[in-house]
């Protein structure tokens, strides 16, 4: 059931569902989340079931007030304090040593827990009215495309969710950045809506992107295929594109690219079906449109989707990460 998040009574209804151990899909500034009471293990298990998500993939906890962190984290490292001050509320998830109050189901038995405070007002009000901490992954089926509006959630999960709160389009359209600053080195575990450059500027030091190893406890929940459409998706940079064109016909493919500049280059190379994320080359606009555009292309008549690599900095790096993880078949035939 989709309810208008602008009506206060609907936030109360949704909070009631959370308190009773149900599932609520709600807008955040990153993507839509699928929430349950983090202190109700049965409710948390429903999240995994609804998504078809394996239990070894840990969940992010969402808070609305910094004092809630006391119940969740053992300690708050100094660098985390700096990042909290700058980026919370907002799309940055921080890893802490977990307190005993947190169920192993949430953390996939890790000794750490991932936490963020969203900036979206519907999300903040829902957490506040529920009077708890909300565990919430993205509101899509496991490995699927993240939803950035209420009807995409409905399409993904439908009746598996008790209430879907409709708060319009997600502002960023990309998941939160996940950072671990417990040690000497600052590790980015997942690229996201806050760029590495922003974190580096705040901490005045370089961050490292943690090398992802599948099935490793060091990088939980990082699966080879993620954020993927049902159609074949091929991710290519400029060099790969040239080789690809030598071996493949592109008549049944559509190509998704960053800006007008890339579009011109691609048309010169024979592409007729070109979809541009941001004419003027704004990363923010491209990020905001990426998942919903991919979802539309997945419903189109094209046989496959080619994603053309963006410039590899700022949010371009995050979008490239999402495109790469969504490519199932490498550079197979189009
Ligand atoms: P989602 O909410 O669907 O965007 O996925 C949450 C992701 O957060 C998981 O897939 C993990 O990659 C990451 N995560 C959650 N908890 C932890 C943790 N304790 N340590 C490292 N990564 C985590
Ligand atoms: Mg997800």
């Amino acid at each position: 059931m989709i309810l208008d998040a602008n009506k206060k009574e609907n936030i109360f209804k949704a909070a009631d569902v959370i308190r009773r151990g149900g599932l609520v899909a709600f807008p955040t500034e990153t993507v839509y989340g699928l929430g349950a009471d983090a202190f109700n293990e049965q409710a948390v298990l429903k999240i995994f079931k609804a998504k078809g998500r394996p239990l070894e993939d840990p969940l992010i906890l969402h808070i609305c007030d910094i004092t809630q962190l006391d119940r969740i984290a053992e300690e708050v490292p100094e660098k985390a304090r700096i990042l909290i001050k700058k980026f919370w509320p907002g799309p940055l998830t921080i890893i802490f040593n977990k307190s005993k109050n947190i169920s192993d189901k949430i953390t996939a038995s890790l000794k750490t827990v991932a936490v963020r405070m969203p900036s979206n007002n519907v999300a903040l009000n829902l957490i506040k009215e529920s009077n708890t901490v909300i565990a919430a992954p993205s509101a899509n089926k496991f490995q699927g495309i993240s939803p950035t509006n209420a009807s995409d959630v409905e399409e993904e999960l439908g009746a598996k969710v008790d209430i879907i709160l409709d708060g319009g389009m997600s502002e960023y359209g990309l998941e939160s950045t996940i950072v671990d600053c417990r040690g000497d080195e600052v590790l980015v575990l997942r690229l996201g809506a806050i760029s590495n450059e922003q974190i580096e500027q705040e901490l005045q030091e370089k961050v490292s992107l943690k090398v992802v190893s599948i099935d490793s406890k060091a990088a939980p929940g990082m699966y080879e295929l993620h954020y993927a459409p049902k159609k074949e998706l091929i991710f290519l940079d400029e060099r790969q594109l040239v080789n690809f064109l030598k071996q493949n016909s592109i008549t049944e493919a559509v190509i998704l690219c960053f800006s007008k500049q890339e579009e011109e280059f691609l048309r010169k190379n024979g592409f007729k079906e070109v979809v541009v994320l941001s004419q003027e080359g704004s990363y923010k606009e491209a990020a905001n449109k990426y998942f919903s555009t991919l979802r539309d292309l997945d419903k189109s008549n094209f046989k496959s989707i080619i994603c053309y690599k963006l410039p590899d900095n700022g949010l371009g790096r995050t979008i490239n990460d999402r495109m790469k993880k969504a490519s199932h078949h490498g550079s197979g035939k189009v």
Side-chain angles (χ1 to χ4, degrees):
M1 183 192 358
I2 298 186
L3 297 180
D4 182 356
N6 292 315
K7 297 198 173 126
K8 202 109 212 206
E9 73 251 31
N10 290 337
I11 304 284
F12 296 148
K13 273 188 199 157
D16 198 46
V17 166
I18 295 282
R19 280 195 303 268
R20 290 166 189 267
L23 295 181
V24 173
F26 62 98
T28 83
E29 70 279 18
T30 58
V31 301
Y32 271 64
L34 177 62
D37 181 355
F39 295 106
N40 178 340
E41 201 167 276
Q42 290 312 311
V44 167
L45 286 171
K46 287 184 191 169
I47 294 179
F48 290 92
K49 190 151 178 247
K51 282 184 60 110
R53 181 177 174 117
L55 287 167
E56 73 212 27
D57 194 353
L59 305 176
I60 294 173
L61 296 185
H62 293 68
I63 60 174
C64 63
D65 186 309
I66 196 74
T67 59
Q68 289 180 304
L69 204 50
D70 301 341
R71 253 178 114 185
I72 302 172
E74 274 291 288
E75 68 265 313
V76 180
E78 190 44 40
K79 285 177 195 169
R81 281 184 204 283
I82 297 171
L83 294 177
I84 286 171
K85 198 159 172 237
K86 174 72 185 176
F87 296 110
W88 279 12
L92 185 74
T93 296
I94 305 179
I95 302 291
F96 299 98
N97 290 331
K98 87 175 183 91
S99 106
K100 325 186 254 309
N101 302 325
I102 303 301
S103 157
D104 278 344
K105 296 288 180 292
I106 286 171
T107 64
S109 298
L110 294 168
K111 298 277 174 277
T112 54
V113 62
V115 187
R116 86 176 186 100
M117 188 193 292
S119 60
N120 179 291
N121 274 330
V122 174
L124 287 171
N125 287 333
L126 176 67
I127 303 166
K128 191 159 165 249
E129 293 302 334
S130 306
N131 199 20
T132 187
V133 170
I134 294 187
S138 50
N140 51 277
K141 288 200 206 81
F142 178 58
Q143 292 178 320
I145 302 174
S146 304
T148 51
N149 60 62
S151 64
D152 289 353
V153 177
E154 169 120 89
E155 191 178 288
E156 285 283 323
L157 301 172
K160 294 186 176 122
V161 194
D162 297 305
I163 288 180
I164 300 170
L165 283 176
D166 183 354
M169 268 299 268
S170 291
E171 182 193 341
Y172 288 88
L174 291 174
E175 294 78 2
S176 61
T177 303
I178 305 181
V179 69
D180 183 352
C181 45
R182 290 170 306 140
D184 291 338
E185 222 183 345
V186 178
L187 303 172
V188 171
L189 304 187
R190 174 175 75 185
L191 294 167
I194 301 280
S195 68
N196 290 359
E197 289 87 342
Q198 283 174 282
I199 297 172
E200 285 170 347
Q201 187 180 353
E202 214 44 41
L203 294 178
Q204 287 296 304
E205 68 174 272
K206 284 272 166 206
V207 300
S208 314
L209 188 60
K210 188 153 176 173
V211 179
V212 168
S213 61
I214 295 133
D215 296 333
S216 149
K217 280 284 175 208
M222 296 296 180
Y223 293 86
E224 199 168 12
L225 181 69
H226 210 150
Y227 318 109
K230 293 181 188 74
K231 276 195 206 312
E232 177 180 48
L233 187 150
I234 299 155
F235 176 61
L236 300 172
D237 62 19
E238 190 174 339
R239 188 181 53 80
Q240 290 165 328
L241 184 83
V242 174
N243 289 332
F244 186 83
L245 286 173
K246 285 182 194 150
Q247 292 164 19
N248 297 279
S249 134
I250 49 168
T251 47
E252 291 182 78
V254 58
I255 188 158
L256 181 61
C257 71
F258 179 40
S259 70
K260 213 162 28 196
Q261 199 180 325
E262 283 80 5
E263 182 185 11
E264 276 166 24
F265 167 78
L266 292 168
R267 290 203 187 276
K268 268 189 212 139
N269 276 282
F271 283 93
K272 294 201 168 51
E273 302 294 344
V274 185
V275 174
V276 179
L277 287 168
S278 167
Q279 286 292 333
E280 296 95 69
S282 146
Y283 285 132
K284 190 125 201 238
E285 185 185 5
N288 177 267
K289 288 192 181 153
Y290 173 63
F291 282 131
S292 57
T293 306
L294 196 56
R295 202 174 272 275
D296 288 344
L297 294 179
D298 207 18
K299 289 180 202 146
S300 70
N301 291 327
F302 297 108
K303 201 166 151 227
S304 50
I305 304 163
I306 302 175
C307 285
Y308 186 59
K309 191 174 179 184
L310 282 75
D312 214 14
N313 51 55
L315 291 188
R317 197 185 292 117
T318 304
I319 301 170
N320 287 335
D321 170 79
R322 301 300 188 264
M323 289 175 164
K324 192 163 174 214
K325 293 207 172 98
S327 61
H328 334 42
H329 306 287
S331 50
K333 287 250 176 289
V334 189

